[in-house]
Amino acid sequence: MDINSVVTEINRPRAQNDSPLSSRRATKASKKKPTKRATVYFEVEILDAKTREKLCFLDKVEPNATIAEIKNLFTKSHPEWYPARQSLRLDPKGRSLKDEDILQNLPVGTTATLYFRDLGAQISWVTVFLTEYAGPLVIYLLFYFRVPFIYGPKYDFITSRHSVVHLACICHSFHYIKRLLETLFVHRFSHGTMPLRNIFKNCMYYWGFAAWMAYYINHPLYTPPAYGDEQVKIAVIIFLFCQLGNFSIHIALRNLRPAGSKTRKIPFPTRNPFTWLFLLVSCPNYTYEVGSWIGFAIMTQCLPVALFSLVGFIQMTIWAKGKHRSYLKEFKDYPPLRSPIIPFIL
């Protein structure tokens, strides 16, 4: 090798891969490169809960898929069963799975079997509430204004001479207008729909009692309360106090749940004194609701109103006990002093 070759070899730029340091870095980089883990997909088989007939087979379902997403996939093969009318469960006679339940967190293998039940045609809670509450408002006013064919031609559109009758109409209308506005602007529903058949049952209850009460309170032969104005004044105070309390509880419950969320929290009293009843009962909204109707019964001294208050109390007690049990089951630190609806009693 001549001197020129040696000089050329020395002056030639060294390639990047020729460097010993670069080689070591490349080796380390190759060692650190993470290996991709293969996603384990699930297979979901959906059977009819009654007949055990296979309705659908879903292949390559993501492990983090929710029950709501599985319902949407199921709807693609059975459009007649939209998600709201589907009930999916792990056991044919078990409880329905929640929409937010995640597939991989359920006690199933990579091949999951779910059982389907048809909940029937559904209707939104908002529609149900608006229908339930608009009916009594209109029905009561028909009797109050004594439209024809109710009390006879002699009394058509003749107003009552008793002030308590007009006051009762104002209170009854106020109650149902409040309910309508709360449905539109206050309530947040954990379930978007309910079975369509329930609207007929609920409307029969509310509309029927409204007609029965209104018929007697606005009747031409109606007799005012036995203790006169003093009884009416006390009753109005009870009614308005409980209406404000009921509204305050609804606002407090609304503030517990962000819009579009199904989050559940323990309700506690706020700065509003009406919410302090949370210290003693789990469902003070029902307590105030019953109190309102007791006040209305005292005001009108009408038997149908008293019966409506009693039936409502029984139904709300059932609801309150259910919610109370749910709170105790879900929250280990739930206040032990609380009763479902009546402090220290029930």
Side-chain angles (χ1 to χ4, degrees):
M1 179 182 296
D2 59 7
I3 186 66
N4 291 331
S5 300
V6 173
V7 172
T8 302
E9 181 66 23
I10 292 172
N11 293 335
R12 182 175 65 84
R14 184 182 294 272
Q16 187 175 0
N17 291 337
D18 290 344
S19 168
L21 183 59
S22 298
S23 301
R24 286 196 298 272
R25 285 177 180 170
T27 305
K28 286 182 181 179
S30 63
K31 287 181 180 178
K32 289 182 181 178
K33 189 175 181 180
T35 56
K36 256 189 175 181
R37 292 183 62 184
T39 303
V40 179
Y41 290 100
F42 280 64
E43 294 178 342
V44 179
E45 182 182 46
I46 299 179
L47 307 181
D48 187 290
K50 293 181 179 178
T51 64
R52 305 297 191 274
E53 175 190 354
K54 183 188 285 189
L55 301 175
C56 181
F57 182 81
L58 305 175
D59 192 19
K60 291 187 177 181
V61 179
E62 293 282 349
N64 58 349
T66 63
I67 293 298
E69 292 170 339
I70 292 175
K71 287 181 178 180
N72 288 328
L73 295 173
F74 181 53
T75 301
K76 291 180 179 179
S77 58
H78 294 278
E80 70 275 18
W81 292 322
Y82 46 89
R85 68 183 292 170
Q86 296 177 32
S87 169
L88 297 180
R89 51 195 74 187
L90 296 175
D91 184 83
K93 297 182 180 179
R95 292 185 177 181
S96 298
L97 296 170
K98 298 178 181 178
D99 283 350
E100 58 269 23
D101 287 340
I102 298 174
L103 184 58
Q104 64 183 355
N105 295 339
L106 299 176
V108 296
T110 53
T111 301
T113 300
L114 301 178
Y115 295 90
F116 162 80
R117 278 187 180 273
D118 182 12
L119 298 176
Q122 300 288 300
I123 187 171
S124 73
W125 276 93
V126 173
T127 303
V128 172
F129 277 19
L130 293 178
T131 307
E132 286 178 1
Y133 302 151
L137 178 63
V138 174
I139 290 170
Y140 194 99
L141 291 175
L142 293 177
F143 285 89
Y144 173 74
F145 289 112
R146 295 178 178 174
V147 297
F149 311 110
I150 294 181
Y151 299 115
K154 181 181 177 181
Y155 300 104
D156 288 352
F157 300 110
I158 302 295
T159 58
S160 174
R161 59 189 176 88
H162 302 299
S163 59
V164 66
V165 172
H166 307 299
L167 187 59
C169 180
I170 293 171
C171 290
H172 189 275
S173 300
F174 172 81
H175 174 75
Y176 282 103
I177 289 172
K178 166 184 164 291
R179 282 195 167 191
L180 290 168
L181 293 175
E182 285 177 338
T183 300
L184 293 172
F185 303 110
V186 177
H187 292 321
R188 287 174 176 163
F189 302 98
S190 56
H191 300 286
T193 63
M194 69 181 296
L196 178 62
R197 61 182 178 273
N198 286 2
I199 193 172
F200 301 104
K201 176 183 65 177
N202 294 4
C203 285
M204 283 181 62
Y205 169 74
Y206 283 105
W207 295 17
F209 263 113
W212 193 23
M213 292 188 295
Y215 177 80
Y216 283 100
I217 295 172
N218 297 287
H219 198 283
L221 301 179
Y222 170 76
T223 304
Y227 295 97
D229 291 343
E230 292 301 318
Q231 178 176 334
V232 173
K233 288 177 183 177
I234 293 172
V236 169
I237 292 172
I238 294 172
F239 177 84
L240 292 177
F241 178 87
C242 291
Q243 286 288 291
L244 288 173
N246 180 264
F247 177 73
S248 299
I249 298 301
H250 287 163
I251 293 295
L253 293 174
R254 169 192 166 86
N255 293 337
L256 281 180
R257 178 178 293 165
S261 168
K262 293 185 178 181
T263 304
R264 283 170 56 88
K265 299 178 183 177
I266 299 176
F268 286 104
T270 65
R271 293 180 180 179
N272 184 340
F274 286 103
T275 66
W276 295 352
L277 196 54
F278 270 126
L279 294 170
L280 301 175
V281 296
S282 295
C283 302
N285 51 322
Y286 295 152
T287 310
Y288 284 124
E289 179 77 9
V290 172
S292 293
W293 285 110
I294 290 175
F296 193 73
I298 296 172
M299 181 197 313
T300 58
Q301 197 171 295
C302 182
L303 181 60
V305 179
L307 290 176
F308 179 69
S309 304
L310 177 61
V311 174
F313 170 68
I314 293 171
Q315 180 60 70
M316 283 183 271
T317 299
I318 295 171
W319 290 338
K321 285 184 174 181
K323 289 188 176 183
H324 185 72
R325 284 193 299 269
S326 179
Y327 281 137
L328 291 173
K329 184 177 180 180
E330 187 172 354
F331 303 107
K332 294 181 179 179
D333 56 342
Y334 191 72
L337 186 62
R338 295 185 187 181
S339 301
I341 189 169
I342 300 179
F344 311 115
I345 299 175
L346 187 64

